Amino acid sequence: MKNKYLIKRTCLQMVGGLFMLSVLCGCENGFLDAKPNKAILVPTALGHYQALLDNARDVMNSTPYLGEVSADDFYMAENTFESYVEEDQNAHVWADRIYPERSISDWDLPYKQIFYANVVLEGLKEYSINQDTENLKGSALFYRGWALFHIAQLFGPPYNPENAASKKGVPVRVSADVTLPSQIGSLQDTYERIRSDLEEAIPLLPLEQPVPTRPSKAAGYALMARLSLVMQEYGKAKQYADSTLALQNELIDYNTVDPAKAMPFPDLYLNAGRNPEVIFLSVLVPNLYLGSSPNTLVDTTLYRSYADADLRKLLFINSNKQFRGSYMGQRFYQFSGLAVDEMVLTRAEANVRTGNTAAALNDLNNLLLKRWQEGKYEPLSINDPQDLLERILTERRKELVGRGIRWGDLKRLNQEVRFEKVLRRNVNGKEYTLPPHDSRYALPFPDSEGALQE
């Protein structure tokens, strides 16, 4: 499909930190051909709205990456700190100011996605309701929820149901009219908007999509499961993980994956193979830190946590201690979407937290059986719920490494005393620390958005 996902390309003009459609450059059938005066153009057909949402590689199917830089799964090799871009350096040591004076991809990109989604949602009001419009509306709502979720994970404080109503959230945009001022409500308001969008999207999404860059019903359920886990609504997390796995549940047997390849998993962009675990395809914003630098290495403690018979140690990490386990099958593009293994682990955690230890243990054993060398895995038998929860969380970190999930997990798990963790760095002889509950767990808004942060 070189590339089925990249159906159209769009261009954006930034206006005061928000985005306006300036020229829509059609790659097929003269779609909204660029005008010489570069006037603002408005989509005029359902195919145009689908094309906006299909701008996968450039806009809609990317997620922020600085959470990986700030978290504890990777570190910069000794004496290489200055080789990274400024925002990577700052995020790595949890500086009070992250960004240089230029475009801020981790902030800009999700708001582009929200703008595109709002354009589609407002445009669809002119059409009668049918299967095509319902599908588009569901997709646009999913993308808006997807984008806002990632903004909240990176730029919002940790969600705690006891105080979320008193914490400041992140800017929420529900209109494509960029002249309207941005408003910031509480953190609870932010999460309720995400929930509302997804609850409305799920009934409209189709059971199947022709390509995994388009959200399906399973993707809607999976994102709701992820959201519910962050919100510590474990019964709902279990319910939505169940719904996801009822639609898509195949796990790869890692014994069938070739470790001799530099990137063991199929290259999804080049369609070299199918990955049955991928529910929704997204990638971390292309970056030097995790995408291409030979100096970004897997945390030593994490590396040592894999048993020798655990195939993830072999398939995820090369001999130089670099991560190579992306489900994108590429070094530059790191998978950050939704997948079956995440849902299995989400359901396992939700089950043990809601008192169903047997079901949690069953999920964990079923996953690990597919991850260890054939004939070497002995099923776990853990009766104590607290011990089992600790094991599930350990396996969650080992399984979901490099997917942009760890930063959010640290934020939610630090709210439980037994899982609190102090992060430490040693860079050029200077030690940096990030204690639990530190305000730096919410990355600062860009300088250009300073008025919003006051």
Side-chain angles (χ1 to χ4, degrees), residues 35-87:
K35 302 289 181 67
N37 64 359
K38 300 191 184 300
I40 294 175
L41 301 173
V42 180
T44 58
L46 288 181
H48 303 162
Y49 293 114
Q50 183 67 69
L52 285 178
L53 300 183
D54 280 336
N55 188 10
R57 186 176 291 190
D58 290 341
V59 180
M60 300 308 289
N61 292 72
S62 293
T63 56
Y65 81 97
L66 285 177
E68 287 291 355
V69 185
S70 298
D72 60 344
D73 283 349
F74 302 95
Y75 69 98
M76 297 176 180
E78 189 174 359
N79 299 321
T80 64
F81 184 72
E82 285 75 18
S83 69
Y84 291 85
V85 297
E86 185 177 343
E87 59 261 42

Side-chain angles (χ1 to χ4, degrees), residues 73-74 254 298-317 323 368 371-372 394-402:
D73 283 349
F74 302 95
Y254 278 12
V298 175
D299 176 73
T300 302
T301 301
L302 174 58
Y303 178 75
R304 290 173 178 168
S305 70
Y306 295 97
D308 288 340
D310 188 337
L311 290 168
R312 293 173 297 186
K313 184 175 187 177
L314 178 66
L315 297 174
F316 287 3
I317 307 166
F323 178 68
L368 295 181
R371 297 326 193 213
W372 280 52
T394 295
E395 296 302 331
R396 179 179 174 87
R397 185 184 182 193
K398 289 155 67 174
E399 179 74 19
L400 305 181
V401 60

Side-chain angles (χ1 to χ4, degrees), residues 35 113 142 190 250 412:
K35 302 289 181 67
Q113 295 168 347
F142 173 92
T190 298
E250 183 178 349
R412 75 179 176 91

Side-chain angles (χ1 to χ4, degrees), residues 209-228:
Q209 291 279 23
V211 287
T213 47
R214 292 182 181 178
S216 63
K217 198 175 294 290
Y221 286 135
L223 186 51
M224 277 295 286
R226 187 186 284 188
L227 176 71
S228 300

Side-chain angles (χ1 to χ4, degrees), residues 247-262:
L247 297 174
Q248 188 170 343
N249 55 35
E250 183 178 349
L251 288 167
I252 302 169
D253 184 346
Y254 278 12
N255 288 279
T256 66
V257 180
D258 185 0
K261 295 180 179 178

Side-chain angles (χ1 to χ4, degrees), residues 280-350:
F280 176 71
L281 191 156
S282 186
V283 298
L284 295 178
V285 174
N287 62 85
L288 173 68
Y289 181 78
L290 192 57
S292 58
S293 175
N295 301 316
T296 301
L297 307 178
V298 175
D299 176 73
T300 302
T301 301
L302 174 58
Y303 178 75
R304 290 173 178 168
S305 70
Y306 295 97
D308 288 340
D310 188 337
L311 290 168
R312 293 173 297 186
K313 184 175 187 177
L314 178 66
L315 297 174
F316 287 3
I317 307 166
N318 68 19
S319 59
N320 296 320
K321 304 300 186 289
Q322 296 169 285
F323 178 68
R324 66 173 189 151
S326 171
Y327 271 8
M328 287 306 300
Q330 293 190 24
R331 178 75 179 153
F332 192 60
Y333 289 102
Q334 301 293 324
F335 177 77
S336 60
L338 299 162
V340 170
D341 56 348
E342 179 191 349
M343 290 300 103
V344 171
L345 287 163
T346 295
R347 186 169 69 180
E349 181 179 346

